[in-house]
Amino acid sequence: MSYLHSRHFSLEEANTLLDKYKPELEVMVELKKKLDMKGYDVYNHKYFGGGGPNGTGPFPPEMEKLIDIIKRVSAEGILLKGLDNSLVDFPHIRNNGEEVYLCWKHGEREILYWHQIADGFAGRRNINEL
């Protein structure tokens, strides 16, 4: 069977990694808020309504910290889906062989949901239905 991702996590592995990176994911939410308040568009790497630092100077320090967190988390195989709410997915293989995502967002104590890849966040189901 061909899968979209080369690395997959059991629920236990995903929750262990989540515990390891949860503090950084919480910092990520705060950094994004600070950048928003400064009028910085993290997706386009520039200030809203004006010139950006690309070619004219360094990123804001909050952006540098945000990039570091994104690199560390992504290197583990964790998929960052949202910066505002630290939405992350962990590729997982169900018992029936289907590749799905174990899903977590800021404020949840552990991974409580999963969804089919095509369904995205809107299709989240209780982990008991996995």
Side-chain angles (χ1 to χ4, degrees), residues 73-113:
V73 171
S74 297
E76 293 279 5
I78 301 169
L79 308 173
L80 285 167
K81 299 295 182 135
L83 298 177
D84 292 302
N85 57 2
S86 281
L87 182 61
V88 296
D89 285 339
F90 296 82
H92 174 78
I93 304 294
R94 294 179 71 195
N95 289 338
N96 66 3
E98 178 186 16
E99 186 178 35
V100 297
Y101 291 147
L102 304 174
C103 185
W104 178 85
K105 72 174 182 167
H106 181 72
E108 296 173 347
R109 70 186 189 301
E110 62 186 12
I111 296 169
L112 301 172
Y113 301 95

Side-chain angles (χ1 to χ4, degrees), residues 14-66:
N15 272 315
T16 298
L17 265 182
L18 180 60
D19 285 343
K20 177 181 176 182
Y21 285 102
K22 200 181 289 185
E24 288 190 274
L25 293 170
E26 291 173 3
V27 168
M28 188 175 73
V29 170
E30 293 307 312
L31 290 170
K32 173 68 168 61
K33 284 180 188 173
K34 287 179 182 177
L35 288 162
D36 286 347
M37 288 189 317
K38 286 184 170 188
Y40 190 78
D41 179 356
V42 300
Y43 300 105
N44 292 309
H45 306 292
K46 65 180 182 180
Y47 290 94
F48 292 113
N54 286 348
T56 62
F59 290 128
E62 297 89 351
M63 186 65 183
E64 296 288 351
K65 290 177 189 171
L66 184 62

